[in-house]
Amino acid sequence: MTRSSTAFAMALLATTGVASASELAPGNGYSIHLDHFNGAVYYTVEKDGYRVVATMASGEEAQPIRFVSTLGPGQRLMISVPQAVGQPSADFEILRNGEVLLVQEPTANLIDNVSTSAIIED
């Protein structure tokens, strides 16, 4: 029963467009890719929490921007890039879950990609 429940949960996550998060170790870098922006994120352990630093730019010649935040347990940081009107933003999330820092790349919203030609109108 547990095996089939786990398989069902994994299939459900795959069809809903939910991405898995990756664990980040202190001092290790992680590449960020948001639409036309690329960069890296890392963190250090400080007295008052995890100091997260994310640096991004839209190209080699572009001036980079840096986000710095100190996260306590259960806190999160989201970097968001707007898309075209009517489209969801591209969001990169960093979450502190206890003593673990998780990063999650943006995912495509699969519902937007589903063909609506089979919808029956009343």
Side-chain angles (χ1 to χ4, degrees), residues 14-81:
T15 60
T16 59
V18 175
S20 62
S22 299
E23 187 174 333
L24 183 61
N28 287 351
Y30 186 90
S31 295
I32 300 174
H33 307 287
L34 283 174
D35 196 31
H36 300 295
F37 296 90
N38 294 303
V41 63
Y42 72 92
Y43 79 98
T44 57
V45 178
E46 307 293 331
K47 290 187 288 187
D48 55 346
Y50 289 1
R51 184 174 183 263
V52 178
V53 179
T55 305
M56 301 178 70
S58 60
E60 290 181 23
E61 302 297 320
Q63 181 71 28
I65 56 174
R66 180 170 290 143
F67 304 87
V68 180
S69 182
T70 301
L71 300 180
Q75 292 184 320
R76 64 183 67 219
L77 166 68
M78 184 173 296
I79 301 171
S80 183
V81 175

